[in-house]
Amino acid sequence: MWRWLHPYAKPEATYRLNKKLLPWFAWPGVVLLAVGLVWGLVFAPADYQQGDSYRIIFIHVPSAMWAMGFYVGMAVAALIAVVWQIRTAEWALMAIAPVGAVLTFISLFTGAIWGHPMWGTWWIWDARLTSQLILLFLYLGVMALYVAFEDQRTGAKAAGILAMVGVINIPIIHYSVYWWNTLHQGSTITQMVTRLEAPTMPAEMLWPLLVNLFGFLGVCAALVIMRLNNEILRREVRRPWAIAILKGGQ
Amino acid sequence: MAQSAALLEARQVTSVRGERTLFEDLNLAVHPGHLYQIEGPNGAGKSSLLRIIAGLLQPLSGDILYKGELRQHVRREFLQDLLFIGHKAAVKPELTALENLQFFAATQGQPCAEPPFELLAQLGLVGLEDVPAANLSAGQQRRIALARLWVSSAALWILDEPFTSLDVAGIALLHQRFDAHLQAGGAIILTSHQPLDWAGRSLVRLQLEYSW
Amino acid sequence: MAQSAALLEARQVTSVRGERTLFEDLNLAVHPGHLYQIEGPNGAGKSSLLRIIAGLLQPLSGDILYKGELRQHVRREFLQDLLFIGHKAAVKPELTALENLQFFAATQGQPCAEPPFELLAQLGLVGLEDVPAANLSAGQQRRIALARLWVSSAALWILDEPFTSLDVAGIALLHQRFDAHLQAGGAIILTSHQPLDWAGRSLVRLQLEYSW
Amino acid sequence: MARVSNTTLLLQLIRRDLRVALRQRSEFLNPIIFLLVVITLFPLAVGPAADTLARIAPGVIWVSALLSAMLGLERMFRDDFRDGALEHMLLLPCPVELAVLGKVIVHWLLTALPLLLISPLLALLLSLPMQALPILIVTLLLGTPVLSAVGAIGVALTVSLNRGGALLSLLLLPLLIPLLIFATAALEAATYNLSAAGPLAMMAAFLVLALGLSPLAVKAALQVSVN
Amino acid sequence: MARVSNTTLLLQLIRRDLRVALRQRSEFLNPIIFLLVVITLFPLAVGPAADTLARIAPGVIWVSALLSAMLGLERMFRDDFRDGALEHMLLLPCPVELAVLGKVIVHWLLTALPLLLISPLLALLLSLPMQALPILIVTLLLGTPVLSAVGAIGVALTVSLNRGGALLSLLLLPLLIPLLIFATAALEAATYNLSAAGPLAMMAAFLVLALGLSPLAVKAALQVSVN
Ligand code: HEM
Ligand SMILES: Nc1ncnc2c1ncn2[C@@H]1O[C@H](COP(=O)(O)OP(=O)(O)OP(=O)(O)O)[C@@H](O)[C@H]1O
Ligand SMILES: Nc1ncnc2c1ncn2[C@@H]1O[C@H](COP(=O)(O)OP(=O)(O)OP(=O)(O)O)[C@@H](O)[C@H]1O
Ligand SMILES: [Mg+2]
Ligand SMILES: [Mg+2]
């Protein structure tokens, strides 16, 4: 039943598929992000309580959400890599990890900056904040394990096993806000999108946020695809098809 | 040598480690009653081949068949019939010769009701039963590892440089044991840099090149 | 052989390990230009003797003299003049061949200004410079350990089973190196279970019994 | 080609590992000593006020359990890897998962059992209210096997690396943090005489998950490491 | 028979051991992340109240120091013993004490230095009052070398086999507890703006004693172990 995956698992096929996909992520991503950021940071109305400091939400929320999303993506790649022994999935795993880690770091950093005016402290051991920190540790663990191995295939497999095991933390991070009483905001956005009739957030704020959300996705996915393609070329330098591409500059 | 009689077969096995191809499309049929000596320079891939056959190492491609069936399909039968002693001999340095031996015997399905003193005597370990293996000489530790050959009922032995550290008497003893095993219809695959002084046609030599 | 010419002397050395007396009142004079092969069955005490000479093991009684003086009185001179390679070869599995070699060279007072590629080539380790020793074959690891013989300026070599895991070419190479060292006025003490094919009278054999 | 039953193999493995460990006393004493040092340290650090102590007691006990498990983990496969016993284990005629289970059991016996035995003492030292003691023991019973089982994954991944304990802990602690959170939540509830059923149920779920899945992950990890 | 200076040998030993420990450049981050993870455990376990955290902060930081020291200790001589590097070290043409000092320095660099580097961050995370930070750093500077030096004795004793194990623990325990008491006393004094000179002086005395005596003891222990 997984046979359909195999044609794409050949590095060359993946490379070509990626080449086709890249513009579909990169350009919309850049445009959405530009629009969303300008809209959010400049044009959206100031919050009646928080003034302008709330604007950091346009970076904070997308990065926080995709930090988790990319982790799941990484775990799926890991599953494919470990179970079906597909090399391109191993490379995808390692292409995703640093991007996810940076997203996590951005969310932590922006959260901390936001927390200073809002809660009067840079950091607090609140469940969500802590669990996001743990997510960062998970990413770092996967990356550290990968580089620790001399043989990169072995490293990728080991990192993949760890990534899969770590998935159990994702629901915990997401539900942390419900399970513990915390300072941090609940999932307003998710609720809002599912219950559009009773918005808890003004539309002028929601829309740029959504635009940013997809902008982040596009740009980060494009980054991942580019990293993956670089990796494929690097690993396959000696193959004729890669040589042709490198020479032809296509 | 009828195809069906092979105890074990390696088919088109290719192994790559690091960036080097150790061997490509290697075929090997192991028949009962025969001793296979893998030869080749250091780093040729002898140990790798043994580990691939045992299932410790994944080859890049190729299959290992045990009694005509894919090894991974009959894993348990295969392992019950296999005795593997590698460079690292799995002798626990904290345990005494006796304890090591009893553990090996039990995992081979031959639990020792009473301590196998005779075997220890044969191996020259008498009087040292209570000494932890770490406090024995290199050759004595090797003898503990090889003691497994006497408590095992496996048909297929895979031995990586079994003669290391052994003195002349030890090597002779090992040869005797090999003989008995082959007589009983077993098969042996081993590596050794020393030529085996082995009379008779039951010795098959396989040369691995150091390819780059 | 004039007494004064001895590089090293063991006088009336007795060693007891556990409850066994390995040897009693053993005397040995090591002269420049000679190779001493200690022989004996497993557990006879060959390694123990080498370790006593090197100073790693305390004998029950007896003295070791270096150039006529008690070894412990001239510890530093003695150690500067000694190269000891035991069963465990002190090759760090995490480091590459090159790094191991550079460390050895530096501790021998022969820091390598540039990587000793020639030596690596001679030892058949070319192309594997960047591989951690743990990922090398048994014989290749042994070669790294023995590479010390080429970067050392010590006069006295003590080698415990140096031929272990080496292929035929490796053994030949080692013999060459031994020859050069003896020619240059060095001395070698080694153990080996394989007979050394060593022409000439510079070989002295010492038989240790397994006493009980 | 004698048949050996799975149970025999499991028992033999456990017996051998216990023998090895008990011969090297430091192996199982070190975690306990560490535990005692940590537990004595906190009253010294925060002062002897019983209420503060009681407040931090659950956390301190659990963090110490976690860290001392960590100390014992290093050994789980490393020595075996070095002397070839690991390969021997992979070639035993039984499912690798079973042998892994044996390792986990041994680790638990060596690190968690002593902790369980001295837990009343620890509770006393940290002025934990007596009504919380049964809950403490229950959380330890439910949680420590998870430590051993999840820990095994980390060790199996890192055995061939020969890296410091820092990498291992870096991999494992994030995985174990949820356990810590639920355990301390249960204990806190117990201290205030509330029901601890919720967190305990979560811990039980973790236990089932860990015992079920970890042998699989460990097997995969070991095969990668030995390769 | 070339002469090699003591300094060269010491530097070479340190360099090699650092290389072994830090195969990749990025690896030197591992201990730091590890410490962050360990520190994270405590607020999770005892609750986020800033005043409680500040109270236990000295204890937490010292427990982490102890843990990372213990995790690193095992490595200090054991691997060297197993692969023969220890014998090689004993046969270097320099005083054994010097080589031991090299080992202690490496251990300190790998386990204590990262802690020192991130101690300001830890203080922040644990809401330690800012005026206590310099004292924290001083206690770490004085105390962590003692951990490394005394730890070395224990490992050297246990490295060959059995016996020493219990000894290590017995040795470490009575030594560590006073160290921790003085360290936390100093920190507490600092938190309340009192003078910390007394406990610090005691720690300095420990340091001098440990650095002076430990190489001798380690040398003796190693010679016994290798024998
Ligand atoms: C370092 C500090 C912070 C961290 C680590 C953090 C982490 C997160 C995470 C992980 C999410 C995504 C939740 C999910 O999708 O399930 C999130 C969303 C959010 N955060 Fe933060 N946060 C921090 C600080 C703050 C601060 C100070 C505020 C404002 C008071 C804030 C407001 C929000 C909001 C409004 C959302 C969107 C919630 C939703 O609708 O799902 N965060 N944050
Ligand atoms: N670390 C040790 N502690 C105590 N006794 C030991 C130790 N190592 C060896 N022995 C004892 O000393 C005796 C001699 O050992 P030694 O290693 O010197 O033998 P050997 O001649 O080198 O043997 P081989 O040929 O096997 O290497 C052995 O019988 C052993 O029991
Ligand atoms: N653990 C490993 N990881 C990666 N590569 C390895 C590993 N072990 C060995 N190799 C590589 O595989 C090649 C073959 O090694 P192998 O151990 O099979 O050789 P061998 O024929 O047994 O040599 P020897 O006679 O020295 O024992 C070596 O050149 C080595 O570089
Ligand atoms: Mg080999
Ligand atoms: Mg010997």
Side-chain angles (χ1 to χ4, degrees):
Chain A
M1 121 174 140
W2 287 91
R3 282 284 149 202
W4 61 268
L5 250 178
H6 278 275
Y8 296 102
K10 286 233 302 280
E12 185 182 356
T14 317
Y15 182 87
R16 297 201 187 283
L17 178 70
N18 279 347
K19 274 272 170 214
K20 284 199 204 104
L21 286 180
L22 185 56
W24 293 95
F25 283 100
W27 294 116
V30 170
V31 171
L32 284 177
L33 194 59
V35 170
L37 283 182
V38 173
W39 189 355
L41 297 186
V42 182
F43 295 108
D47 190 79
Y48 68 97
Q49 273 183 331
Q50 310 182 12
D52 278 331
S53 70
Y54 92 97
R55 291 182 194 280
I56 210 162
I57 197 176
F58 299 115
I59 301 173
H60 172 72
V61 175
S63 60
M65 285 184 139
W66 291 123
M68 293 190 288
F70 275 58
Y71 191 93
V72 175
M74 183 173 78
V76 171
L79 184 76
I80 296 171
V82 172
V83 177
W84 291 282
Q85 311 267 328
I86 292 174
R87 279 190 306 160
T88 39
E90 287 169 12
W91 304 336
L93 167 78
M94 296 324 301
I96 297 173
V99 176
V102 168
L103 280 173
T104 317
F105 183 77
I106 293 176
S107 74
L108 281 169
F109 192 74
T110 52
I113 292 180
W114 198 2
H116 196 59
M118 293 309 303
W119 306 330
T121 169
W122 298 104
W123 183 258
I124 183 148
W125 292 99
D126 150 285
R128 162 147 293 170
L129 273 57
T130 309
S131 52
Q132 190 76 354
L133 185 64
I134 295 169
L135 186 65
L136 180 66
F137 291 150
L138 279 175
Y139 274 120
L140 292 178
V142 169
M143 280 153 50
L145 189 60
Y146 175 68
V147 297
F149 280 89
E150 200 60 36
D151 179 54
Q152 287 169 320
R153 281 213 75 178
T154 319
K157 278 192 198 124
I161 294 171
L162 182 69
M164 285 188 325
V165 174
V167 184
I168 50 156
N169 267 17
I170 294 295
I172 293 179
I173 298 175
H174 189 75
Y175 291 110
S176 56
V177 228
Y178 303 109
W179 289 344
W180 296 283
N181 294 326
T182 60
L183 267 181
H184 194 281
Q185 195 95 4
S187 298
T188 30
I189 297 191
T190 340
Q191 280 169 29
M192 237 173 330
V193 176
T194 47
R195 293 185 295 123
L196 266 179
E197 68 279 6
T200 46
M201 190 192 220
E204 312 85 86
M205 292 185 190
L206 178 62
W207 281 110
L209 187 57
L210 286 178
V211 169
N212 263 329
L213 210 54
F214 287 102
F216 260 80
L217 174 63
V219 169
C220 293
L223 279 177
V224 168
I225 290 176
M226 274 153 52
R227 282 178 52 84
L228 177 58
N229 265 5
N230 273 341
E231 189 65 21
I232 293 178
L233 278 187
R234 213 167 59 75
R235 298 297 179 88
E236 303 271 299
V237 240
R238 303 214 187 100
R239 297 291 159 90
W241 72 266
I243 293 170
I245 283 172
L246 288 171
K247 285 224 178 91
Q250 11 171 300
Chain B
M1 298 193 209
Q3 160 92 5
S4 59
L7 185 61
L8 185 114
E9 257 182 288
R11 283 206 190 145
Q12 305 283 95
V13 175
T14 301
S15 177
V16 173
R17 300 200 84 165
E19 288 138 38
R20 241 184 72 212
T21 304
L22 299 181
F23 40 81
E24 240 171 324
D25 295 335
L26 184 141
N27 288 301
L28 173 70
V30 175
H31 294 269
H34 288 257
L35 187 150
Y36 298 78
Q37 182 183 8
I38 322 266
E39 289 176 310
N42 288 141
K46 303 179 293 300
S47 302
S48 302
L49 177 59
L50 297 192
R51 292 167 68 84
I52 286 174
I53 295 178
L56 287 171
L57 190 64
Q58 219 48 46
L60 188 72
S61 64
D63 291 319
I64 309 291
L65 282 79
Y66 169 69
K67 293 193 175 160
E69 293 188 75
L70 274 181
R71 187 194 49 201
Q72 50 271 39
H73 293 171
V74 287
R75 179 172 180 276
R76 189 169 188 136
E77 287 69 35
F78 173 69
L79 291 180
Q80 261 165 357
D81 216 12
L82 171 75
L83 183 72
F84 176 87
I85 305 183
H87 279 300
K88 299 183 284 183
V91 173
K92 279 274 148 203
E94 296 89 354
L95 300 185
T96 67
L98 206 57
E99 288 166 337
N100 269 300
L101 200 52
Q102 283 172 335
F103 173 69
F104 288 141
T107 61
Q108 299 281 343
Q110 322 244 305
C112 321
E114 52 200 76
F117 285 120
E118 238 174 77
L119 177 53
L120 285 173
Q122 213 177 350
L123 292 168
L125 294 171
V126 161
L128 299 167
E129 299 89 353
D130 298 332
V131 183
N135 287 358
L136 293 176
S137 82
Q140 288 166 335
Q141 291 187 27
R142 193 81 206 162
R143 281 157 186 255
I144 299 178
L146 292 169
R148 250 180 287 180
L149 302 179
W150 276 263
V151 296
S152 159
S153 57
L156 179 64
W157 292 358
I158 301 186
L159 311 174
D160 204 351
E161 300 194 31
F163 305 116
T164 305
S165 304
L166 284 189
D167 60 12
V168 185
I171 294 178
L173 193 68
L174 214 53
H175 274 126
Q176 267 176 36
R177 182 72 190 113
F178 285 176
D179 235 354
H181 182 61
L182 297 182
Q183 293 288 331
I188 305 176
I189 314 177
L190 57 75
T191 66
S192 170
H193 291 296
Q194 292 155 264
L196 272 177
D197 52 355
W198 196 258
R201 61 202 159 92
S202 63
L203 172 66
V204 182
R205 298 167 74 176
L206 181 77
Q207 190 73 31
L208 279 186
E209 298 303 325
Y210 187 93
S211 53
W212 186 239
Chain C
M1 297 193 212
Q3 161 89 5
S4 60
L7 187 60
L8 184 113
E9 257 182 288
R11 284 205 189 145
Q12 304 284 95
V13 175
T14 301
S15 175
V16 173
R17 301 200 84 166
E19 289 138 37
R20 241 184 74 211
T21 305
L22 299 180
F23 41 79
E24 241 170 324
D25 295 336
L26 185 141
N27 288 300
L28 173 69
V30 175
H31 294 270
H34 288 259
L35 186 151
Y36 299 79
Q37 181 183 10
I38 322 268
E39 289 177 309
N42 290 140
K46 303 180 292 299
S47 301
S48 303
L49 176 59
L50 297 192
R51 293 166 69 84
I52 287 174
I53 295 177
L56 286 172
L57 191 63
Q58 221 44 48
L60 187 72
S61 65
D63 293 318
I64 309 292
L65 284 79
Y66 169 69
K67 294 191 174 163
E69 292 189 74
L70 272 181
R71 188 195 48 202
Q72 50 271 41
H73 293 169
V74 286
R75 178 172 181 276
R76 190 169 188 137
E77 286 70 33
F78 172 69
L79 290 180
Q80 261 164 354
D81 215 14
L82 170 76
L83 183 72
F84 175 87
I85 305 182
H87 279 299
K88 299 183 284 181
V91 173
K92 278 277 147 201
E94 296 90 353
L95 300 184
T96 66
L98 206 58
E99 288 166 338
N100 269 299
L101 200 52
Q102 282 172 336
F103 173 69
F104 288 141
T107 61
Q108 298 281 343
Q110 321 243 302
C112 322
E114 51 200 77
F117 285 119
E118 240 173 75
L119 177 53
L120 285 173
Q122 212 176 350
L123 292 166
L125 294 171
V126 161
L128 299 168
E129 299 90 353
D130 298 332
V131 182
N135 287 359
L136 293 176
S137 81
Q140 287 166 336
Q141 293 186 26
R142 192 83 205 161
R143 280 157 186 253
I144 298 178
L146 292 170
R148 249 179 289 180
L149 302 179
W150 275 263
V151 295
S152 159
S153 56
L156 178 64
W157 292 356
I158 302 186
L159 312 174
D160 203 351
E161 300 195 30
F163 305 115
T164 305
S165 303
L166 284 190
D167 60 13
V168 184
I171 294 179
L173 194 68
L174 214 53
H175 276 126
Q176 267 176 35
R177 181 71 190 116
F178 286 176
D179 235 354
H181 183 60
L182 297 181
Q183 294 288 330
I188 306 175
I189 315 177
L190 57 75
T191 66
S192 170
H193 292 295
Q194 292 155 263
L196 272 179
D197 53 354
W198 197 258
R201 52 182 181 107
S202 63
L203 173 65
V204 182
R205 297 166 73 175
L206 180 77
Q207 190 73 32
L208 279 186
E209 298 302 327
Y210 187 92
S211 54
W212 184 240
Chain D
M1 181 158 126
R3 282 203 66 98
V4 202
S5 78
N6 283 344
T7 341
T8 316
L9 285 173
L10 183 62
L11 290 179
Q12 286 290 337
L13 272 173
I14 292 179
R15 198 174 117 187
R16 183 197 58 176
D17 282 358
L18 283 178
R19 266 197 179 153
V20 169
L22 297 181
R23 199 137 302 170
Q24 267 183 316
R25 269 171 243 120
S26 64
E27 201 163 319
F28 76 107
L29 268 179
N30 276 352
I32 299 181
I33 296 284
F34 175 77
L35 203 70
L36 279 177
V37 173
V38 173
I39 303 275
T40 31
L41 180 63
F42 278 94
L44 293 174
V46 305
D51 57 332
T52 328
L53 274 183
R55 185 107 74 54
I56 63 168
V60 169
I61 291 179
W62 256 92
V63 171
S64 333
L66 192 62
L67 298 182
S68 76
M70 221 71 237
L71 272 175
L73 271 176
E74 279 274 290
R75 291 299 183 78
M76 200 189 252
F77 295 116
R78 182 174 305 275
D79 285 355
D80 283 5
F81 176 73
R82 291 216 151 197
D83 60 25
L86 189 59
E87 294 172 358
H88 184 251
M89 185 181 106
L90 291 178
L91 292 180
L92 286 179
C94 69
V96 177
E97 291 87 347
L98 194 79
V100 170
L101 196 66
K103 285 276 168 193
V104 171
I105 292 175
V106 171
H107 177 261
W108 187 84
L109 287 176
L110 290 174
T111 62
L113 195 60
L115 176 60
L116 268 169
L117 292 180
I118 61 165
S119 57
L121 178 65
L122 300 185
L124 202 71
L125 283 175
L126 292 172
S127 332
L128 194 76
M130 267 309 128
Q131 80 268 22
L133 182 60
I135 299 291
L136 172 64
I137 292 179
V138 173
T139 59
L140 286 177
L141 273 175
L142 288 173
T144 48
V146 179
L147 294 184
S148 301
V150 174
I153 304 176
V155 197
L157 283 172
T158 50
V159 260
S160 65
L161 285 179
N162 216 353
R163 286 300 140 76
L167 178 64
L168 176 65
S169 328
L170 170 60
L171 303 184
L172 284 181
L173 292 180
L175 295 180
L176 294 173
I177 284 180
L179 187 71
L180 178 74
I181 294 178
F182 288 109
T184 49
L187 278 170
E188 218 155 304
T191 324
Y192 299 119
N193 277 321
L194 303 171
S195 157
L200 287 184
M202 282 302 286
M203 290 186 76
F206 280 163
L207 178 62
V208 173
L209 256 180
L211 287 186
L213 294 184
S214 125
L216 293 173
V218 174
K219 178 187 173 184
L222 284 182
Q223 277 161 350
V224 168
S225 287
V226 164
N227 217 318
Chain E
M1 181 157 119
R3 282 203 66 98
V4 202
S5 78
N6 282 345
T7 339
T8 315
L9 284 174
L10 183 62
L11 289 180
Q12 285 290 338
L13 271 174
I14 292 180
R15 196 174 121 189
R16 185 200 52 180
D17 282 358
L18 284 179
R19 266 197 178 154
V20 168
L22 307 176
R23 212 62 284 266
Q24 270 92 26
R25 303 253 166 288
S26 61
E27 250 174 74
F28 106 103
L29 278 177
N30 287 353
I32 292 183
I33 301 174
F34 160 72
L35 284 167
L36 278 178
V37 182
V38 171
I39 300 284
T40 311
L41 295 179
F42 283 93
L44 282 178
V46 304
D51 57 333
T52 325
L53 280 182
R55 274 269 207 77
I56 64 167
V60 170
I61 291 177
W62 267 93
V63 167
S64 324
L66 182 61
L67 177 75
S68 73
M70 284 187 86
L71 277 173
L73 270 177
E74 280 275 292
R75 294 303 176 74
M76 197 190 255
F77 294 114
R78 182 174 300 275
D79 285 356
D80 282 5
F81 176 72
R82 292 215 154 196
D83 60 26
L86 190 59
E87 295 172 357
H88 184 250
M89 187 181 104
L90 291 177
L91 292 181
L92 285 179
C94 70
V96 177
E97 290 87 347
L98 194 78
V100 170
L101 195 66
K103 284 275 168 195
V104 172
I105 292 175
V106 170
H107 179 263
W108 187 85
L109 287 176
L110 290 173
T111 63
L113 192 61
L115 182 60
L116 268 168
L117 290 180
I118 61 160
S119 55
L121 181 60
L122 299 186
L124 198 73
L125 287 176
L126 294 172
S127 330
L128 194 76
M130 268 308 129
Q131 78 268 22
L133 182 60
I135 300 291
L136 172 66
I137 293 179
V138 174
T139 59
L140 287 176
L141 273 174
L142 290 174
T144 49
V146 179
L147 292 186
S148 300
V150 174
I153 306 177
V155 194
L157 277 172
T158 49
V159 78
S160 75
L161 251 203
N162 48 45
R163 264 168 286 279
L167 236 156
L168 163 65
S169 318
L170 288 180
L171 231 153
L172 281 178
L173 199 57
L175 247 149
L176 287 177
I177 293 199
L179 191 68
L180 295 173
I181 292 180
F182 289 117
T184 48
L187 277 169
E188 211 154 316
T191 323
Y192 299 119
N193 277 321
L194 302 171
S195 157
L200 288 185
M202 284 303 288
M203 291 187 75
F206 276 167
L207 177 62
V208 173
L209 260 178
L211 285 188
L213 296 183
S214 130
L216 293 173
V218 173
K219 179 185 173 186
L222 283 183
Q223 275 160 352
V224 169
S225 286
V226 164
N227 218 319

